[in-house]
Amino acid sequence: MTSGGEPSWAWLGLLKWSLSYSDGTRPSSETMKPLSPEDKAFLEEVMKDGIINEGERMKTILAELADTLEVLKAKAEGKQVGEETKELSDEEMAERMRELRDIVEQIDYARAFMSLGGLTFLLGCAAEQGVVPTPFRASCLAVLATMCQNNPPVQLNMLEKGSIVALSDLYFSELEYEKNVPEEERSAHGNLRTRLVQAFSCSVRNHEIAEDLFCRNENAVRVIESGLASASPLALQKRALFFFRALVTSDTCSRERMHIFARSLAHVCETRLTDDTDPELRELSLDLLTEILRQKKGVNTILDRRNDMVTMGIGRVSAIRALKGEEREYANVELQHWEALITELARAEPDSDKQETNPEPLLIEAPKSVDNNETATE
């Protein structure tokens, strides 16, 4: 809907009619005349062309995709497919998913799609290994993430469907499955796991119950650890770090939660501040550590590595200050992050309740794949 309350794109239909009846060389007042029945019929037709009923369109998309998936299922089972059954091409399927994602960006339409069984459909498609094309499965997870983002009713419905267990199981099933696919296909599977963590993140973040249940689920915590692993695609590492930051800096975070994620935090301290780390990943890590020190809910894991980080930081600050021109301008954000972290490290006091701060290193690694970089902003 437009701000004036008219259906979206109604103006386009009016524009098409106006252009058809005005040559642009005379004021429209000179060419205006009462509408004939034929003119009215034409106007009604172009108005219909300019208006899309998103609710009906979602039903149509869902029906088209369901037909195509039925065809894929039948082919996988060696069954004959009737000629009357329409099968979308991979490109058409991708286009339908892009259109659907645009529609469900609107909170009300996300809830409407949920009422049509959309969550079940998306989760089911994403879980179909082998039969459903991997890029389409990743698109399902991207739409799922869009539906859940800042949408509590959808997030709650996801919880009621057991999404934390389902997505955790799917992640590790995909991780195992990925080990056996050809090298050239691993990038697509790495992207799928990246989209899976994004969907997990959007369905959990800013929902107190969802965050708590996630953090108490051992397999879900292992998803974060696996995503942060050095062998994971860079895009996946960024998504996992973004999600991790949200969990340990939320208003509901506690020292118990910090202890649950001690392995992940130690991993960030020890491996994500080095010179050979991706610059964006390093900046995200610096910002995360600084925020944890400021909130004072569980800082011992960081403080036990304080000397090494300060030494690293002083060296990096000196190197950045020696840069000139565009290189210095590009590195200014990182410089600010390092200075903030060093300041907080100097001020920080250990937690009163001493807990294990030297956990075993992360052991969950992923098969190395061709990387597909992307920003971690959601």
Side-chain angles (χ1 to χ4, degrees):
M1 301 289 286
T2 63
S3 58
E6 296 180 293
S8 301
W9 296 104
W11 56 269
L12 181 59
L14 289 170
L15 177 63
K16 289 167 63 178
W17 180 84
S18 177
L19 291 174
S20 297
Y21 281 83
S22 175
D23 64 7
T25 60
R26 290 175 295 165
S28 59
S29 59
E30 295 180 20
T31 60
M32 292 293 286
K33 59 183 179 180
L35 289 176
S36 67
E38 293 79 13
D39 291 342
K40 288 180 180 178
F42 178 79
L43 177 58
E44 290 173 359
E45 185 64 30
V46 295
M47 283 291 289
K48 283 191 286 186
D49 288 343
I51 299 173
I52 297 176
N53 185 320
E54 280 87 351
E56 290 300 319
R57 184 56 186 157
M58 285 192 295
K59 291 180 182 179
T60 300
I61 291 172
L62 193 58
E64 290 178 342
L65 293 174
D67 287 344
T68 299
L69 292 167
E70 282 290 342
V71 172
L72 294 176
K73 179 175 179 288
K75 288 181 177 179
E77 295 173 349
K79 297 179 181 179
Q80 294 293 326
V81 180
E83 294 182 1
E84 71 282 357
T85 305
K86 182 180 179 181
E87 179 183 3
L88 299 175
S89 67
D90 289 351
E91 183 177 343
E92 288 173 327
M93 291 175 73
E95 178 58 36
R96 297 298 189 279
M97 294 307 287
R98 284 192 293 269
E99 185 179 354
L100 180 59
R101 191 176 185 184
D102 288 342
I103 293 173
V104 300
E105 279 184 342
Q106 302 178 61
I107 288 177
D108 290 339
Y109 283 121
R111 297 175 186 176
F113 188 64
M114 178 181 71
S115 70
L116 293 173
L119 294 180
T120 301
F121 170 76
L122 295 170
L123 287 168
C125 285
E128 284 294 336
Q129 293 172 337
V131 177
V132 179
T134 302
F136 180 73
R137 295 170 60 212
S139 294
C140 289
L141 292 167
V143 173
L144 192 63
T146 301
M147 289 181 66
C148 292
Q149 178 96 335
N150 299 320
N151 201 337
V154 178
Q155 290 176 303
L156 180 58
N157 196 267
M158 284 283 285
L159 283 181
E160 292 171 346
K161 293 182 180 299
S163 61
I164 291 177
V165 172
L167 291 176
S168 298
D169 289 348
L170 177 56
Y171 181 94
F172 289 108
S173 173
E174 191 64 27
L175 184 62
E176 191 63 29
Y177 183 81
E178 187 178 332
K179 296 176 182 177
N180 300 314
V181 301
E183 184 73 26
E184 62 272 14
E185 296 180 17
R186 287 185 178 173
S187 176
H189 286 274
N191 180 61
L192 188 144
R193 287 192 294 120
T194 302
R195 291 298 185 187
L196 199 154
V197 170
Q198 180 189 16
F200 229 153
S201 175
C202 291
S203 67
V204 169
R205 283 185 295 111
N206 301 319
H207 192 289
E208 184 175 347
I209 296 174
E211 286 188 8
D212 185 62
L213 291 175
F214 179 94
C215 295
R216 294 180 185 279
N217 185 291
E218 183 178 349
N219 259 7
V221 172
R222 290 175 68 238
V223 169
I224 296 286
E225 295 178 352
S226 174
L228 291 174
S230 301
S232 294
L234 180 58
L236 174 54
Q237 292 182 52
K238 291 177 181 178
R239 288 286 184 191
L241 186 61
F242 181 89
F243 188 16
F244 176 45
R245 184 192 191 284
L247 292 172
V248 298
T249 62
S250 74
D251 293 339
T252 58
C253 181
S254 62
R255 289 193 178 182
E256 179 187 5
R257 185 180 296 184
M258 295 301 301
H259 182 61
I260 289 171
F261 286 106
R263 280 161 54 98
S264 295
L265 183 56
H267 179 73
V268 172
C269 293
E270 295 169 3
T271 68
R272 291 297 171 259
L273 306 182
T274 57
D275 290 348
D276 59 351
T277 300
D278 171 78
E280 184 183 358
L281 192 60
R282 185 167 56 241
E283 289 176 11
L284 290 170
S285 300
L286 289 166
D287 181 62
L288 165 65
L289 298 176
T290 302
E291 186 60 29
I292 291 174
L293 289 170
R294 285 172 177 164
Q295 71 179 11
K296 303 176 182 178
K297 292 181 180 178
V299 300
N300 286 349
T301 298
I302 299 176
L303 295 186
D304 282 356
R305 294 156 178 80
R306 172 161 44 190
N307 291 341
D308 289 341
M309 286 192 288
V310 169
T311 299
M312 193 183 306
I314 291 173
R316 186 62 185 155
V317 167
S318 297
I320 293 175
R321 287 176 176 169
L323 296 175
K324 305 293 183 183
E326 291 185 1
E327 286 187 329
R328 171 59 187 273
E329 185 176 348
Y330 177 77
N332 262 341
V333 174
E334 182 186 346
L335 175 62
Q336 294 170 9
H337 282 308
W338 271 116
E339 291 174 339
L341 177 60
I342 292 172
T343 299
E344 293 301 326
L345 284 169
R347 293 173 177 171
E349 296 291 337
D351 301 325
S352 57
D353 52 333
K354 185 69 175 177
Q355 291 182 323
E356 175 63 49
T357 59
N358 290 291
E360 293 295 319
L362 298 189
L363 299 177
I364 302 174
E365 293 290 329
K368 292 185 177 180
S369 60
V370 179
D371 203 4
N372 53 328
N373 195 7
E374 63 176 44
T375 180
T377 303
E378 296 179 339

